[in-house]
Amino acid sequence: MRKLENIETTNFKRESKHNKENKQRVNVLSKIHHAVYRMIPLLVFVFLILLWEFIVVVLEIKDYIAPRPTQIISEFKNSGSLLLEHTLITVYETLLGLCIAIIFAIVLSLICSKYKLAKRVLYPLAVVSQNVPLMAIAPLFIMWFGFGILSKILVVVLVGFFPVLLNTVKGLESYDLELVDMMRYMQASDLQIFMKVKIPAALPSFFSGLKIASAYSIMGAVVSEWVGAKNGLGIFLTRSMKYYNMPGMFADIIVIVVLSLMIFRVIEFVESKVIRWNINRS
Amino acid sequence: MSKVNVNNLNRTFKNGIKSLEVLKNIQFYLRENEFVSIIGPSGCGKSTIFRILSGIDKDYSGEVLINNTDITKHPQKVAYLQQRDMFMPWRTVIENIILPLEITGEVSIRELRIIRKHIKANKNYFEAKSVSEPLNSVFRLINDFGLNGFEDYMPYELSGGMRQRAALLRSFIINSDIMLLDEPFAALDAITKTKMQDWLLKIWNTHKKSVLFITHDIDEAIYMSDRIYVLSERPATIKDVINISFRRPRNRDMLMTQEFNEYKGRLFEVLLGRC
């Protein structure tokens, strides 16, 4: 130790090298610290699952009350292909329904922003359609359109289009009046004003509407399957329930949550590509 | 030759039964290559004059001639700079600047984006590829306006002075030799403001434009203008017209002269009604 000190005080070069090493060590430490910090939510999650496993084993809780996480994992292994089959149906219904809802909502909001009368006529209808509970609409649609996927898609369309419509109409009205004045004295046409001012101004609220719709849409699909269907995550859930298959129910719930997150993430990704400007600073 | 000629201009805002008289019997003119200021208290209706001249506000009475043409019959293009810089937050600086050319169809934003991409990848792109003439002239002006290297920034990333220059360049590109500048330097600090005034005079001198300039800064008005119109409180009427006889090019020493102080004293007297 003393030797090291000697070398350090006598040899400046060595000293600086030593410092450099020290700095590097600090750098690595801060990197590890940063990585751990970012992992905290995941670590908490893992900890909770382990705690769950531990409690169920120690307190000898019965399977049909609360399954162990490991049982849920093995449920994924055992009936994975069956679950996948049901999942694909639900995904199909959700995505198709959501796409139709978006197109429908965009067309309607364009009409609403162009013709004030259309807005007055359509708005109350849209609001009423949202206030009928999903649990009442779903059976009705099944009676009308059968147990197939059509009734589910229509339910998704119904719950998905409203948030997009509402937010897009709001967005299309949120443009800067002075910006339109500027376009006017530059002798821009109405179409140019619409394309270059109103549409970009509407995009942020369009995307916030879309995110709400994505959360609603998967819920709409599952609930309407729950009421009556041939295939889908909702029907898998009811069947698991009837057979007291708790691991199956949990597996189903996990799939639904993951699907919801995935759709949300995709929309967020598209949003970040389309909206490159910083909304808070402009 | 007179570029702008306003006679007996009146404007009253009506809101239900309430009515607010803003402009009353306004009369002024702007000749070719002149720099004319309009000065007056805040909220007296200075901006309304510009809104009428630019064709946004059509609800006036009186005669407004631009290039000897009545603007109610044939709206005339003017390079108007609004009080707020009015950038589209979703566009980069250069994309904002070319907006007037995009509206007339001379430049497409797709073309611009492709060129910007190439320039980012290869600095010598200009020499290698021919860029369309309107766009090329914009790139040349970018230099004059001191925006070199900031083309691909977002507007909120620029400093106040730079934003103002970019906004001015956007108006500059409008194909018109008449510029209407509405308090362009009001939001700037004293030092930046001083620099920008000299810079604007230089630009005005090299590019030969006729400028109408709204301000509420007395020193600025005297330093910049050939003629100053003084407006009263609402309803705005023209209280006084002052011809400034300083020689051009102007320099800062003129601000220290007896003559300058006489102008200043007279403006204070007219604006405040006492001295």
Side-chain angles (χ1 to χ4, degrees):
Chain A
M1 200 59 204
R2 192 172 288 162
K3 230 181 188 175
L4 189 74
E5 271 179 32
N6 263 338
I7 293 165
E8 272 178 18
T9 46
T10 50
N11 195 332
F12 178 72
K13 243 184 183 174
R14 282 267 174 85
E15 193 191 353
S16 69
K17 199 182 170 191
H18 183 77
N19 266 348
K20 218 177 189 179
E21 275 170 9
N22 241 350
K23 254 182 203 165
Q24 270 174 352
R25 205 170 300 150
V26 170
N27 241 339
V28 170
L29 271 177
S30 80
K31 262 182 190 165
I32 292 172
H33 180 258
H34 191 66
V36 169
Y37 187 78
R38 285 189 54 165
M39 296 269 278
I40 283 176
L42 187 68
L43 291 175
V44 170
F45 192 66
V46 170
F47 171 75
L48 284 177
I49 287 175
L50 290 175
L51 189 71
W52 175 2
E53 181 91 22
F54 178 76
I55 289 172
V56 171
V57 172
V58 167
L59 299 183
E60 292 178 344
I61 296 170
K62 294 277 188 294
D63 282 0
Y64 57 83
I65 292 173
R68 282 177 284 121
T70 42
Q71 277 176 308
I72 298 169
I73 293 167
S74 62
E75 176 71 16
F76 271 112
K77 261 187 217 157
N78 297 337
S79 48
S81 60
L82 187 67
L83 197 56
L84 184 69
E85 219 171 274
H86 287 292
T87 306
L88 288 178
I89 296 288
T90 304
V91 168
Y92 179 69
E93 289 163 359
T94 306
L95 291 185
L96 192 62
L98 197 56
C99 285
I100 296 170
I102 292 167
I103 294 166
F104 198 49
I106 288 175
V107 171
L108 277 183
S109 55
L110 291 183
I111 293 171
C112 281
S113 79
K114 180 89 178 138
Y115 305 104
K116 289 282 161 287
L117 183 67
K119 191 182 164 187
R120 285 188 69 88
V121 172
L122 287 171
Y123 243 53
L125 286 176
V127 173
V128 167
S129 80
Q130 288 311 294
N131 281 303
V132 182
L134 189 56
M135 285 308 290
I137 282 285
L140 198 64
F141 273 33
I142 285 165
M143 301 291 273
W144 284 341
F145 305 106
F147 284 87
I149 60 169
L150 178 65
S151 54
K152 280 79 193 172
I153 291 170
L154 289 174
V155 169
V156 173
V157 171
L158 195 69
V159 296
F161 105 100
F162 186 68
V164 183
L165 175 76
L166 200 70
N167 281 282
T168 312
V169 168
K170 203 184 87 196
L172 284 170
E173 285 167 354
S174 72
Y175 58 86
D176 192 330
L177 274 171
E178 278 188 78
L179 207 51
V180 172
D181 281 346
M182 185 181 81
M183 295 290 283
R184 286 258 156 76
Y185 72 67
M186 290 176 180
Q187 304 190 337
S189 64
D190 283 349
L191 182 69
Q192 279 174 324
I193 290 173
F194 188 76
M195 298 300 286
K196 294 182 203 308
V197 177
K198 294 187 185 176
I199 289 204
L203 282 174
S205 40
F206 166 73
F207 275 104
S208 48
L210 197 52
K211 282 187 224 166
I212 298 167
S214 80
Y216 281 8
S217 65
I218 198 128
M219 187 183 73
V222 171
V223 168
S224 55
E225 284 165 1
W226 217 79
V227 173
K230 290 173 190 142
N231 295 303
L233 287 172
I235 208 73
F236 188 89
L237 197 67
T238 46
R239 281 181 197 157
S240 303
M241 199 177 79
K242 277 176 189 156
Y243 293 107
Y244 284 93
N245 178 10
M246 286 299 259
M249 287 180 72
F250 271 95
D252 196 290
I253 291 167
I254 289 168
V255 171
I256 292 169
V257 170
V258 169
L259 277 183
S260 259
L261 285 178
M262 274 165 63
I263 296 175
F264 192 81
R265 282 292 180 163
V266 167
I267 292 170
E268 262 191 343
F269 176 76
V270 175
E271 184 186 22
S272 73
K273 288 288 150 197
V274 173
I275 300 177
R276 296 171 301 145
W277 66 97
N278 189 335
I279 296 166
N280 295 328
R281 297 202 48 186
S282 50
Chain B
M1 185 194 146
S2 154
K3 300 301 288 183
V4 178
N5 214 330
V6 173
N7 281 314
N8 200 12
L9 177 66
N10 294 285
R11 175 74 171 96
T12 305
F13 286 103
K14 288 195 183 75
N15 187 6
I17 47 165
K18 272 186 260 176
S19 77
L20 185 67
E21 204 177 19
V22 177
L23 300 177
K24 198 175 166 189
N25 203 5
I26 299 286
Q27 204 140 336
F28 66 88
Y29 63 93
L30 170 73
R31 280 190 297 245
E32 199 162 4
N33 293 337
E34 257 188 332
F35 198 116
V36 170
S37 288
I38 296 171
I39 194 168
S42 291
C44 76
K46 291 173 299 213
S47 299
T48 307
I49 297 176
F50 277 12
R51 288 175 62 84
I52 290 169
L53 289 179
S54 65
I56 299 170
D57 189 340
K58 295 187 169 81
D59 242 358
Y60 61 89
S61 72
E63 187 189 42
V64 179
L65 302 176
I66 295 179
N67 294 326
N68 293 323
T69 317
D70 193 331
I71 62 164
T72 45
K73 285 168 196 143
H74 298 281
Q76 297 287 304
K77 253 192 188 179
V78 288
Y80 175 23
L81 178 63
Q82 281 149 296
Q83 211 164 355
R84 283 169 58 209
D85 48 31
M86 299 319 302
F87 286 118
M88 296 178 172
W90 48 85
R91 288 179 170 218
T92 63
V93 172
I94 183 89
E95 286 168 7
N96 266 294
I97 288 170
I98 58 113
L99 184 70
L101 296 180
E102 200 194 339
I103 288 168
T104 56
E106 289 167 78
V107 169
S108 80
I109 194 133
R110 193 166 300 150
E111 177 196 357
L112 176 75
R113 284 193 181 138
I114 292 168
I115 291 168
R116 292 310 310 171
K117 223 181 204 172
H118 281 292
I119 289 173
K120 261 188 206 165
N122 172 19
K123 291 256 189 301
N124 298 322
Y125 185 76
F126 276 116
E127 289 110 57
K129 261 250 162 80
S130 63
V131 177
S132 72
E133 183 40 42
L135 206 51
N136 215 352
S137 67
V138 174
F139 287 160
R140 257 182 272 128
L141 280 170
I142 289 260
N143 265 328
D144 289 2
F145 279 69
L147 294 163
N148 228 347
F150 293 91
E151 295 95 328
D152 298 314
Y153 279 53
M154 296 312 267
Y156 69 84
E157 295 174 305
L158 298 189
S159 66
M162 217 169 236
R163 280 172 77 101
Q164 214 54 47
R165 281 203 297 268
L168 202 60
L169 178 51
R170 183 187 51 199
S171 322
F172 209 78
I173 281 168
I174 298 173
N175 185 23
S176 167
D177 54 358
I178 300 166
M179 295 200 83
L180 312 178
L181 308 179
D182 191 350
E183 298 190 6
F185 309 139
L188 302 178
D189 61 278
I191 298 164
T192 316
K193 192 174 183 172
T194 310
K195 282 184 192 160
M196 290 286 286
Q197 287 165 352
D198 289 332
W199 171 83
L200 178 63
L201 283 178
K202 209 180 82 198
I203 292 280
W204 168 71
N205 194 39
T206 46
H207 292 272
K208 296 291 168 212
K209 301 250 179 186
S210 316
V211 177
L212 264 181
F213 190 86
I214 287 180
T215 181
H216 53 226
D217 182 330
I218 291 173
D219 286 12
E220 185 174 74
I222 302 170
Y223 181 59
M224 309 277 283
S225 322
D226 295 314
R227 190 165 57 256
I228 303 172
Y229 289 95
V230 187
L231 294 189
S232 65
E233 301 265 357
R234 202 172 50 225
T237 52
I238 302 241
K239 269 171 119 179
D240 199 2
V241 187
I242 300 174
N243 286 302
I244 307 291
S245 55
F246 284 125
R247 211 178 299 143
R248 292 196 187 270
R250 303 269 162 98
N251 64 54
R252 292 276 154 196
D253 294 337
M254 292 169 181
L255 269 70
M256 258 69 86
T257 58
Q258 179 62 32
E259 205 184 350
F260 187 88
N261 279 331
E262 276 164 18
Y263 285 133
K264 206 167 165 176
R266 184 168 160 199
L267 273 166
F268 267 121
E269 201 180 315
V270 179
L271 279 167
L272 302 173
R274 66 190 159 82
C275 201

